Amino acid sequence: SQQGEEDPQALSIQEGENATMNCSYKTSINNLQWYRQNSGRGLVHLILIRSNEREKHSGRLRVTLDTSKKSSSLLITASRAADTASYFCASSDRGSTLGRLYFGRGTQLTVWP
Amino acid sequence: NAGVTQTPKFQVLKTGQSMTLQCAQDMNHNSMYWYRQDPGMGLRLIYYSASEGTTDKGEVPNGYNVSRLNKREFSLRLESAAPSQTSVYFCASNRAGYNEQFFGPGTRLTVL
């Protein structure tokens, strides 16, 4: 399987704290993406980082990519209760022109008010 | 602009019954995908269609068939449902050359 792995599987924090989730993948990639899924809903794209980028920011989100270790991390700063959701990383294989993604198993984030 | 829509939202089947899950997108996307999501397993690709008229197997295609009816619609058929196909099914789409995928709300299927 080419699925990635997220770590931790579950994370519980207080509002205002930072949340860090990690992702490892198995192949050479074009890019790596992070998605969010609220309970009972579909996935929503958060951010994409290309293989030649090392860090990217979007609002309270910060993503890093280390291609030598085949890993990425997602940092959510100043977490809010509304950030409670599952977060998935998804990798796009280098050489693939079909847009196919390989998803990890996800991190369940709970932010307590 | 509805994005990606899926019908039905919920379905209960008996073992051996058949059904078709419908998916449509109004964003003029070329590629469409069917995933299943099981607890602790993340999303696994069942089938995908890079463009109208083409379909390819993903990681877990056994027991499923698909039809790319036109550019907008991509259906998933279970010919003879099995309890192992109890899952949440998501349809997604994206534009050619863009990796970001847009997801539908999902269909929760239970096979008894």
Side-chain angles (χ1 to χ4, degrees), chain A:
Chain A
S1 168
Q2 291 177 275
Q3 268 191 319
E5 297 287 340
E6 277 99 342
D7 171 52
Q9 289 187 358
L11 180 60
S12 185
I13 60 173
Q14 296 290 132
E15 264 192 332
E17 294 180 341
N18 294 341
T20 300
M21 289 158 267
N22 302 297
C23 165
S24 61
Y25 57 91
K26 298 182 180 180
T27 63
S28 295
I29 61 170
N30 279 326
N31 62 70
L32 187 129
Q33 304 174 38
W34 286 88
Y35 288 77
R36 166 191 170 129
Q37 182 181 34
N38 286 68
S39 181
R41 310 292 288 271
L43 278 71
V44 175
H45 182 264
L46 292 176
I47 193 166
L48 179 152
I49 185 165
R50 302 189 191 286
S51 61
N52 61 352
E53 297 175 312
R54 292 297 166 258
E55 187 171 313
K56 198 162 184 180
H57 296 254
S58 176
R60 292 184 297 112
L61 305 180
R62 172 177 168 252
V63 171
T64 61
L65 180 65
D66 186 336
T67 53
S68 66
K69 295 181 180 177
K70 290 188 167 57
S71 67
S72 174
S73 67
L74 172 67
L75 168 68
I76 304 174
T77 60
S79 296
R80 306 165 182 168
D83 293 328
T84 294
S86 291
Y87 293 82
F88 295 88
C89 67
S91 59
S92 171
D93 279 359
R94 180 166 295 175
S96 170
T97 59
L98 299 175
R100 180 174 173 174
L101 296 177
Y102 295 90
F103 284 85
R105 290 180 168 80
T107 293
Q108 172 62 51
L109 172 66
T110 303
V111 182
W112 298 99

Side-chain angles (χ1 to χ4, degrees), chain B residues 4-79:
Chain B
V4 180
T5 57
Q6 292 183 236
T7 56
K9 285 187 167 54
F10 301 92
Q11 184 71 49
V12 178
L13 294 177
K14 294 181 180 176
T15 296
Q17 287 185 316
S18 62
M19 80 160 294
T20 300
L21 282 64
Q22 306 286 355
C23 173
Q25 51 88 12
D26 61 2
M27 296 174 282
N28 202 34
H29 287 172
N30 292 86
S31 301
M32 297 185 73
Y33 308 82
W34 275 107
Y35 295 91
R36 60 178 288 172
Q37 184 177 33
D38 302 294
M41 293 297 294
L43 274 78
R44 292 182 292 171
L45 184 65
I46 305 171
Y47 270 94
Y48 61 104
S49 171
S51 61
E52 188 178 349
T54 69
T55 61
D56 286 285
K57 295 179 181 179
E59 295 173 71
V60 288
N62 292 344
Y64 305 95
N65 284 301
V66 290
S67 295
R68 183 74 183 267
L69 305 168
N70 47 56
K71 193 170 187 179
R72 288 188 65 246
E73 298 172 289
F74 188 36
S75 63
L76 178 71
R77 182 159 178 84
L78 287 70
E79 290 291 351

